[in-house]
Amino acid sequence: MNTLLVTLASQGLNVGQDGVCLTVKGTTPTRLWALIHELAAAPQPDPLALADSVRTKARDKYDRYLGEDLLNLAYAARALDIPAAWATLADLANLPRPDDPPGTADHDNDERSELRDFVL
């Protein structure tokens, strides 16, 4: 679950974890579906590169003493499961294309538009 969250966040989405769900804000179902298709078709990312996109990686007692490279390595090893995340993305990519709620398709990059939150 964390790997999907980090992956979507690295693509510029505002993603939060709510229990067993991911909440994606500021997008439409169709845009999220298209991004999932792109990610599923792309090669799996390097775990260290993905870990580098995470702001707060320190979890264990002595993590604050690690340099950035070791911190990325530690985070990737304990918090990322890229093969499982890409298998999940492939499963999600096989779902039918969703419909956008009325009024959202006309506001692609309009910050004033009220886009709903979507849950994976």
Side-chain angles (χ1 to χ4, degrees):
M1 179 78 68
N2 183 63
T3 307
L4 288 175
L5 182 146
V6 171
T7 300
L8 293 173
S10 75
Q11 299 297 310
L13 294 175
N14 182 354
V15 185
Q17 186 169 352
D18 300 317
V20 296
C21 297
L22 294 180
T23 302
V24 183
K25 296 182 179 189
T27 190
T28 65
T30 301
R31 282 190 237 149
L32 181 58
W33 181 83
L35 177 60
I36 288 170
H37 271 223
E38 289 174 27
L39 290 170
Q44 294 180 5
D46 175 47
L48 296 177
L50 194 56
D52 193 45
S53 71
V54 177
R55 280 192 220 165
T56 307
K57 294 175 272 239
R59 288 187 175 178
D60 291 336
K61 183 176 183 177
Y62 296 108
D63 280 355
R64 62 185 169 159
Y65 300 112
L66 298 177
E68 191 67 20
D69 290 342
L70 281 177
L71 195 54
N72 286 339
L73 183 61
Y75 185 86
R78 70 174 165 233
L80 298 178
D81 185 354
I82 292 180
W86 252 248
T88 300
L89 286 171
D91 289 344
L92 292 171
N94 287 327
L95 295 174
R97 180 185 173 131
D99 293 326
D100 286 336
T104 58
D106 297 333
H107 302 287
D108 277 345
N109 290 316
D110 187 354
E111 292 180 18
R112 295 170 289 157
S113 66
E114 298 272 339
L115 297 178
R116 296 180 26 202
D117 300 347
F118 298 98
V119 178
L120 287 179

Coordinates of all heavy atoms in Angstrom, one line a residue, residues 30-42 86 89-98:
T30 N -11.0 9.5 -14.4 CA -10.4 9.2 -15.7 C -9.0 9.5 -15.8 O -8.2 8.7 -16.3 CB -11.2 10.0 -16.8 OG1 -12.6 9.6 -16.8 CG2 -10.6 9.7 -18.2
R31 N -8.5 10.6 -15.2 CA -7.1 11.0 -15.2 C -6.3 10.0 -14.3 O -5.2 9.6 -14.7 CB -6.9 12.4 -14.6 CG -7.2 13.4 -15.7 CD -6.8 14.8 -15.2 NE -8.0 15.7 -15.2 CZ -8.2 16.7 -14.4 NH1 -7.4 17.0 -13.4 NH2 -9.3 17.4 -14.5
L32 N -6.9 9.6 -13.2 CA -6.2 8.6 -12.3 C -6.1 7.3 -13.1 O -5.1 6.6 -13.0 CB -7.0 8.4 -11.0 CG -6.4 7.5 -10.0 CD1 -5.0 7.8 -9.6 CD2 -7.3 7.4 -8.8
W33 N -7.2 6.9 -13.7 CA -7.2 5.6 -14.5 C -6.1 5.6 -15.6 O -5.4 4.7 -15.8 CB -8.6 5.4 -15.1 CG -8.8 4.2 -15.9 CD1 -9.1 2.9 -15.4 CD2 -8.7 4.1 -17.3 NE1 -9.2 2.1 -16.5 CE2 -9.0 2.7 -17.7 CE3 -8.5 5.0 -18.3 CZ2 -9.1 2.3 -19.0 CZ3 -8.5 4.6 -19.7 CH2 -8.8 3.2 -20.0
A34 N -6.0 6.8 -16.3 CA -5.0 6.9 -17.3 C -3.6 6.8 -16.7 O -2.7 6.2 -17.3 CB -5.2 8.2 -18.1
L35 N -3.4 7.5 -15.6 CA -2.0 7.4 -15.0 C -1.7 6.0 -14.5 O -0.6 5.5 -14.7 CB -2.0 8.4 -13.8 CG -0.7 8.3 -12.9 CD1 0.5 8.7 -13.8 CD2 -0.8 9.2 -11.7
I36 N -2.7 5.3 -14.0 CA -2.5 3.9 -13.6 C -2.1 3.1 -14.8 O -1.2 2.2 -14.7 CB -3.7 3.3 -12.9 CG1 -3.8 4.0 -11.5 CG2 -3.7 1.8 -12.8 CD1 -5.1 3.7 -10.8
H37 N -2.7 3.3 -15.9 CA -2.3 2.6 -17.2 C -0.9 2.9 -17.6 O -0.2 2.0 -18.0 CB -3.3 3.0 -18.3 CG -4.5 2.1 -18.3 ND1 -5.0 1.6 -19.5 CD2 -5.3 1.6 -17.4 CE1 -6.0 0.8 -19.2 NE2 -6.2 0.8 -18.0
E38 N -0.5 4.2 -17.5 CA 0.8 4.5 -17.9 C 1.9 3.9 -16.9 O 2.9 3.3 -17.4 CB 1.0 6.1 -17.8 CG 0.3 6.8 -18.8 CD 0.4 8.3 -18.6 OE1 1.4 8.8 -17.9 OE2 -0.5 9.1 -19.0
L39 N 1.6 3.9 -15.7 CA 2.5 3.3 -14.7 C 2.6 1.8 -14.9 O 3.7 1.2 -14.8 CB 2.1 3.7 -13.3 CG 2.2 5.1 -12.8 CD1 1.5 5.4 -11.5 CD2 3.7 5.5 -12.8
A40 N 1.5 1.2 -15.1 CA 1.5 -0.3 -15.2 C 2.2 -0.7 -16.5 O 2.9 -1.8 -16.4 CB 0.0 -0.8 -15.3
A41 N 2.2 0.1 -17.5 CA 2.9 -0.2 -18.7 C 4.4 0.1 -18.7 O 5.2 -0.4 -19.5 CB 2.3 0.5 -19.9
A42 N 4.8 1.0 -17.8 CA 6.2 1.4 -17.7 C 7.0 0.4 -16.9 O 6.4 -0.4 -16.1 CB 6.2 2.7 -16.9
W86 N 3.5 -3.1 -8.6 CA 3.2 -3.1 -10.0 C 2.2 -4.2 -10.4 O 1.5 -4.1 -11.3 CB 4.6 -3.2 -10.7 CG 4.9 -2.0 -11.4 CD1 4.9 -1.7 -12.8 CD2 5.2 -0.7 -10.8 NE1 5.2 -0.4 -13.0 CE2 5.3 0.3 -11.8 CE3 5.2 -0.2 -9.5 CZ2 5.6 1.6 -11.6 CZ3 5.5 1.1 -9.3 CH2 5.7 2.0 -10.3
L89 N -1.0 -2.4 -9.7 CA -1.3 -1.5 -10.8 C -1.8 -2.2 -12.1 O -2.7 -1.7 -12.7 CB 0.0 -0.7 -11.2 CG 0.4 0.4 -10.1 CD1 1.8 1.0 -10.5 CD2 -0.6 1.5 -10.1
A90 N -1.2 -3.4 -12.4 CA -1.7 -4.1 -13.5 C -3.1 -4.6 -13.3 O -3.9 -4.5 -14.3 CB -0.7 -5.3 -13.7
D91 N -3.4 -5.0 -12.1 CA -4.8 -5.4 -11.8 C -5.8 -4.2 -11.9 O -6.8 -4.3 -12.5 CB -4.9 -6.0 -10.4 CG -4.3 -7.3 -10.2 OD1 -4.0 -8.0 -11.3 OD2 -4.1 -7.7 -9.1
L92 N -5.3 -3.0 -11.4 CA -6.2 -1.8 -11.5 C -6.3 -1.4 -13.0 O -7.4 -0.9 -13.4 CB -5.6 -0.7 -10.7 CG -5.6 -0.9 -9.2 CD1 -4.8 0.2 -8.5 CD2 -7.1 -0.9 -8.7
A93 N -5.3 -1.6 -13.8 CA -5.3 -1.2 -15.2 C -6.3 -2.0 -16.0 O -6.8 -1.6 -17.0 CB -3.9 -1.2 -15.8
N94 N -6.6 -3.2 -15.5 CA -7.6 -4.1 -16.2 C -9.0 -3.7 -15.9 O -9.9 -4.3 -16.5 CB -7.3 -5.5 -15.8 CG -6.1 -6.1 -16.5 OD1 -5.7 -5.7 -17.6 ND2 -5.4 -6.9 -15.8
L95 N -9.2 -2.8 -14.9 CA -10.6 -2.4 -14.6 C -11.1 -1.5 -15.8 O -10.3 -0.8 -16.4 CB -10.6 -1.6 -13.3 CG -10.3 -2.4 -12.1 CD1 -10.2 -1.4 -10.9 CD2 -11.2 -3.5 -11.8
P96 N -12.4 -1.5 -16.0 CA -13.0 -0.6 -17.0 C -12.8 0.9 -16.7 O -12.6 1.3 -15.6 CB -14.5 -1.0 -17.0 CG -14.7 -1.7 -15.8 CD -13.5 -2.2 -15.3
R97 N -12.7 1.6 -17.8 CA -12.5 3.1 -17.6 C -13.7 3.7 -16.9 O -14.9 3.4 -17.2 CB -12.5 3.7 -19.0 CG -12.3 5.2 -19.0 CD -12.3 5.8 -20.4 NE -12.3 7.2 -20.3 CZ -11.5 8.0 -21.0 NH1 -10.7 7.5 -21.8 NH2 -11.5 9.3 -20.8
P98 N -13.4 4.5 -15.8 CA -14.5 5.1 -15.0 C -15.1 6.3 -15.7 O -14.5 6.9 -16.6 CB -13.8 5.5 -13.7 CG -12.5 5.7 -14.1 CD -12.1 4.8 -15.3

